[in-house]
Amino acid sequence: MQLTIRNVPVGVKKRIHAEAKAKCKSLNQHVVDLLSQAAGVKPGPKQPKRDLSFLRSSNAEAKAVESAKKEFDAIDPETWR
């Protein structure tokens, strides 16, 4: 769920930004934590990611694919006569 909060006083904005930075959190995560605390609700499970990061391979997988492809990159002179 998304919320838009308007007319946040400058002092509040600065303090929230500073707290988020000090806790190494994103501004969004820090505000969600503050709202949960103020509402007396424990933060629930995180929303699933809505991106394509699951399609990204690891560096080890990429190296294995490149290694397997090398065989197909070799040119056999006998085939091309």
Side-chain angles (χ1 to χ4, degrees):
M1 171 184 222
Q2 293 185 359
L3 297 173
T4 301
I5 302 173
R6 293 185 171 87
N7 302 321
V8 177
V10 175
V12 173
K13 179 183 174 187
K14 285 181 179 181
R15 179 150 182 195
I16 291 173
H17 273 276
E19 288 176 357
K21 187 174 182 178
K23 294 181 179 186
C24 298
K25 290 184 180 180
S26 68
L27 179 62
N28 184 75
Q29 186 59 56
H30 185 58
V31 170
V32 168
D33 291 347
L34 289 172
L35 288 170
S36 297
Q37 182 181 3
V41 178
K42 290 183 180 180
K46 290 186 177 182
Q47 295 276 337
K49 286 187 175 182
R50 296 176 60 200
D51 63 6
L52 300 175
S53 63
F54 65 94
L55 295 174
R56 184 181 65 227
S57 64
S58 69
N59 196 28
E61 290 171 329
K63 285 181 179 179
V65 169
E66 288 301 318
S67 177
K69 285 180 16 180
K70 283 185 181 178
E71 180 180 334
F72 296 102
D73 291 339
I75 298 174
D76 181 11
E78 291 294 319
T79 304
W80 293 97
R81 282 193 174 183

